Amino acid sequence: MSTLTDRPRPAGREDQASNGRWWALVVLALAQLMVVLDATIVNIALPTAQADLAFDDAGRQWVVTGYALAFGSLLLLGGRLSDFFGRKRMFVIGLIGFALASALGGAAQNLEVLIFARALQGAFGAALAPAALSLLSTTFTEPAERGKAFGIFGAISGAGGGMGLLLGGVLTEYVSWRWCLYVNLVIAAIAVAGAFLKLKDEPIKAEGKIDVPGAVTAIAGLVALVYGLANAETDGWTDAMTLGPIVAGLVILGIFVAIERRVEHPLLPMRVVLDRNRGGSYASIAIAGAGMFGIFLFLTYYLTAILAFTPVETGLAFLPMLGGIMLTATTAGSMLTPKIGPRPLVPLGALIAAGGMVLMTRLELDSTYVSGVLPGLIIIGLGLGLVFAPTQNAATAGVEHRDAGVASAMINTVQQIGGSIGTALLSSFAATAASDYMIGKTPSAQVQAEAAMQSYHTVFWWSAGFFLLAAIVAAVLFRTGPLDVDPDAPPAMAH
């Protein structure tokens, strides 16, 4: 006798599964927001923390560099560990570790503890970020849903830096600089609860063993490279503490590639990076990441030093750009990527962003926010939304699930390296432009302000050049047509 429970209800089950996936996206996006926020939220708090803990400018740099060194160097290992031990497990470990490190930093009573806490944040972030992106990739395998999911995730990734400026300004001005770190406890608690309730992970078949020589050379090479680039900002490009680590890092990374081509179970299989779409994603996001620092770093200087904005006003000033990123990432970026692929979208987005940066070169000492800054910010945001969503989608599209973690780690690694290169190069160009302008002039407040404007214009032109280069690289490397389907998806979903 047939009963109601005997009858198949595929539509209901499908709707329930779909709702579960979208709740999973909320959890993953929340974790991504925490990691991206931390790249900028602490920067706003640094002057106040410096006064409170009484450390010098060199110490201030290490609060930033400590995080970058740990995060950038451990990402590949973190990605492979998530493939080996399970993405959900590494995701939860990363969340809890990041929260505890943030608590330690928020309670720090001296510089040493603060730097150690920031390095711990970077290490756990290196476990968390690849796990989040790979879980997103293996959760959303149907092209249309995947496009929407990566549109939202890409918007969070692109807008998080600006949101960090705003949140950092509010917390520093109205509560305490320490809450720029404590806030991660709240975000992580929600994300951990959501992970246990809503995230599902596929069974992991651990194949072989961890590639120890590859891990050692990858970490050593990336640490040396990021350290050298960080020194370039303060010591100049010809200093031994800049050139030495950079050259050593490049040599060690060359050894890493040679090891990966020979070992049986490589940390970074060459099949991951040699695919044209993934290679195009990695190259595009690295170059665009370098250009983005022209916006977040030097436009912040302009707003605070020339327009005399408070930290909160500076954060609010970036909101139109964040709105632009979210608009294009969640509409055109998500809807068009499954249909036409990234090749038309990423070059177009990078060109639009370059146009916005060119508008920024017209800023002057007497410019206003509404007429001078706002138009360029909106245009840059609209362009970046078309860069982030398709590149993150393409970086993990068509990759075997056993490689999803390390493929996800690469997108974070190249963005970190690109950002480090951008910070070093643009800071160097800005300092040179300002000092050249001062030659033969009597120092005064007006002349110094004009020299600062010269440095900002130089940086904005270079940032426009980075975006233009990203457009060219994307147009050359990406394949024409829709992205590859998930090779491990069930047959019914691979269409």
Side-chain angles (χ1 to χ4, degrees):
M1 184 174 77
S2 175
T3 66
L4 287 174
T5 55
D6 293 327
R7 294 171 191 170
R9 289 177 293 178
R13 283 198 298 270
E14 188 175 320
D15 290 343
Q16 192 175 17
S18 180
N19 288 337
R21 287 196 292 275
W22 292 112
W23 276 112
L25 172 62
V26 172
V27 175
L28 297 172
L30 195 62
Q32 176 71 1
L33 178 63
M34 184 177 72
V35 174
V36 179
L37 276 176
D38 237 67
T40 53
I41 191 172
V42 173
N43 292 0
I44 294 291
L46 268 179
T48 311
Q50 185 175 5
D52 188 17
L53 301 182
F55 56 83
D56 57 18
D57 288 346
R60 185 167 70 178
Q61 182 198 351
W62 273 105
V63 176
V64 177
T65 305
Y67 179 86
L69 280 175
F71 184 66
S73 62
L74 292 171
L75 274 164
L76 282 178
L77 179 60
R80 186 46 97 191
L81 287 175
S82 73
D83 290 333
F84 202 80
F85 293 113
R87 283 128 205 165
K88 181 177 175 179
R89 180 180 298 172
M90 292 303 295
F91 181 78
V92 172
I93 290 172
L95 277 173
I96 294 172
F98 200 96
L100 293 176
S102 300
L104 178 64
Q109 297 301 314
N110 57 60
L111 174 64
E112 292 74 20
V113 172
L114 182 58
I115 293 174
F116 178 68
R118 289 285 287 162
L120 275 181
Q121 277 187 313
F124 284 107
L128 174 59
L133 189 55
S134 55
L135 278 167
L136 185 72
S137 179
T138 56
T139 299
F140 292 91
T141 55
E142 194 275 324
E145 276 196 348
R146 182 181 173 92
K148 293 175 186 176
F150 273 90
I152 295 168
F153 198 81
I156 295 292
S157 298
M163 293 169 72
L165 294 174
L166 174 58
L167 187 57
V170 170
L171 291 173
T172 302
E173 194 162 325
Y174 295 111
V175 189
S176 163
W177 68 267
R178 296 181 184 276
W179 269 97
C180 292
L181 292 158
Y182 286 147
V183 71
N184 292 326
L185 292 167
V186 179
I187 300 173
I190 298 170
V192 167
F196 283 117
L197 291 172
K198 296 297 180 183
L199 288 187
K200 289 181 171 49
D201 199 5
E202 56 194 6
I204 296 296
K205 297 177 181 177
E207 299 177 357
K209 54 186 179 181
I210 297 294
D211 170 21
V212 175
V216 170
T217 49
I219 293 170
L222 289 168
V223 164
L225 185 60
V226 174
Y227 177 76
L229 290 168
N231 284 340
E233 185 180 351
T234 52
D235 300 338
W237 288 95
T238 57
D239 191 89
M241 292 305 293
T242 299
L243 282 177
I246 289 176
V247 171
L250 292 174
V251 170
I252 296 170
L253 289 176
I255 296 170
F256 166 71
V257 172
I259 291 172
E260 299 309 277
R261 295 172 68 92
R262 294 174 180 273
V263 296
E264 187 177 358
H265 301 287
L267 182 73
L268 177 63
M270 290 297 107
R271 61 180 175 267
V272 171
V273 293
L274 294 181
D275 175 84
R276 275 185 62 182
N277 277 342
R278 282 193 289 279
S281 292
Y282 299 148
S284 300
I285 205 69
I287 300 167
M292 275 192 66
F293 275 83
I295 311 164
F296 285 131
L297 190 60
F298 290 91
L299 187 58
T300 298
Y301 292 161
Y302 175 79
L303 292 171
T304 54
I306 306 299
L307 299 188
F309 277 27
T310 65
V312 174
E313 289 172 336
T314 300
L316 289 171
F318 279 95
L319 285 183
M321 186 184 84
L322 310 188
I325 292 174
M326 290 182 175
L327 178 65
T328 50
T330 56
T331 54
S334 65
M335 290 187 293
L336 294 178
T337 303
K339 298 176 182 176
I340 62 176
R343 191 173 193 184
L345 299 175
V346 178
L348 175 62
L351 287 174
I352 292 171
M357 290 306 308
V358 171
L359 279 182
M360 292 295 184
T361 65
R362 301 172 61 186
L363 292 175
E364 298 296 343
L365 290 173
D366 58 353
S367 296
T368 65
Y369 173 76
V370 173
S371 63
V373 177
L374 185 59
L377 266 185
I378 293 173
I379 292 171
I380 292 166
L382 293 172
L384 289 178
L386 290 176
V387 173
F388 282 106
T391 49
Q392 290 191 323
N393 194 340
T396 54
V399 71
E400 298 176 32
H401 284 199
R402 60 179 173 150
D403 295 328
V406 75
S408 303
M410 271 298 292
I411 198 78
N412 289 283
T413 301
V414 296
Q415 192 169 2
Q416 180 69 40
I417 298 300
S420 297
I421 292 172
T423 302
L425 283 175
L426 295 176
S427 298
S428 174
F429 295 151
T432 301
S435 59
D436 287 349
Y437 184 84
M438 294 291 291
I439 294 175
K441 295 182 176 65
T442 304
S444 68
Q446 177 68 20
V447 170
Q448 288 175 336
E450 290 170 355
M453 283 307 309
Q454 189 70 26
S455 71
Y456 302 153
H457 288 163
T458 300
V459 165
F460 295 153
W461 277 116
W462 274 100
S463 292
F466 280 131
F467 287 130
L468 178 60
L469 179 59
I472 295 169
V473 167
V476 170
L477 289 183
F478 280 119
R479 287 195 295 266
T480 302
L483 294 168
D484 296 334
V485 297
D486 182 353
D488 297 321
M493 297 184 74
H495 64 276

